[in-house]
């Protein structure tokens, strides 16, 4: 960061998070194939795109997390405040799900990926859990809401 930006950070205090993004480099990477981009960034010791760092920083600053729902023809990410409950997650999807909430089937994304992106395989492996209304959703949870309206 150059002159003016650094002065602003100093004025705001030490606790202000910031992320450096090299815009021209990010644009140049878009012109490369995924293999070429990976080779190029490895040579520069860059482990992830700047946009990923910006998104993670913004989510952290705003106190947000993401959870996922998976259906036969759609996977969707939903945004919640960190500390939200399973009922809050149900309500983010649709108010009827929150109103008729019974339980939430939950598996971490890491377990979901490790078991071939299959809820059934997660259930068979014993890593799918049933959680109640007070369950605090964790960033990356894959959730299926059981409800009755």
């Amino acid at each position: 960061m150059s002159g003016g930006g650094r002065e602003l950070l100093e004025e705001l205090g030490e606790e202000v998070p910031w992320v450096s993004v090299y815009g021209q480099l990010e644009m140049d990477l878009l012109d490369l194939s995924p293999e070429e981009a990976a080779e190029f960034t490895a040579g520069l010791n860059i482990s992830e795109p700047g946009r990923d760092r910006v998104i993670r920083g913004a989510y952290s600053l705003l106190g947000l997390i993401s959870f996922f729902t998976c259906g036969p023809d759609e996977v969707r990410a939903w945004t919640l405040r960190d500390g939200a409950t399973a009922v809050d997650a149900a309500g983010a999807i649709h108010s009827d799900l929150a109103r008729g909430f019974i339980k939430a089937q939950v598996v971490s994304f890491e377990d979901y990926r490790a078991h071939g992106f299959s809820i059934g395989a997660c259930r068979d492996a014993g890593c799918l859990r049933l959680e109640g209304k007070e369950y605090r959703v964790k960033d990356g949870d894959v959730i299926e809401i059981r409800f009755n309206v």
Side-chain angles (χ1 to χ4, degrees), residues 26-80:
E26 297 287 333
M27 289 176 51
D28 291 345
L29 289 173
L30 293 174
D31 293 333
L32 302 175
S33 72
E35 295 80 19
E36 291 171 325
E39 185 178 327
F40 185 72
T41 55
L44 296 173
N45 201 25
I46 298 172
S47 60
E48 65 182 338
R51 96 176 153 255
D52 293 355
R53 293 190 313 272
V54 169
I55 291 168
R56 192 173 20 268
Y59 263 54
S60 176
L61 184 63
L62 296 171
L64 301 174
I65 62 169
S66 292
F67 73 96
F68 301 94
T69 56
C70 303
D73 54 350
E74 179 184 56
V75 174
R76 179 148 179 199
W78 303 86
T79 302
L80 281 178

Side-chain angles (χ1 to χ4, degrees), residues 104-128:
Q105 290 190 122
V106 180
V107 63
S108 71
F109 180 78
E110 292 78 21
D111 286 339
Y112 187 62
R113 179 176 43 200
H115 292 91
F117 300 100
S118 166
I119 292 290
C122 291
R123 184 180 298 109
D124 294 344
C127 55
L128 185 68

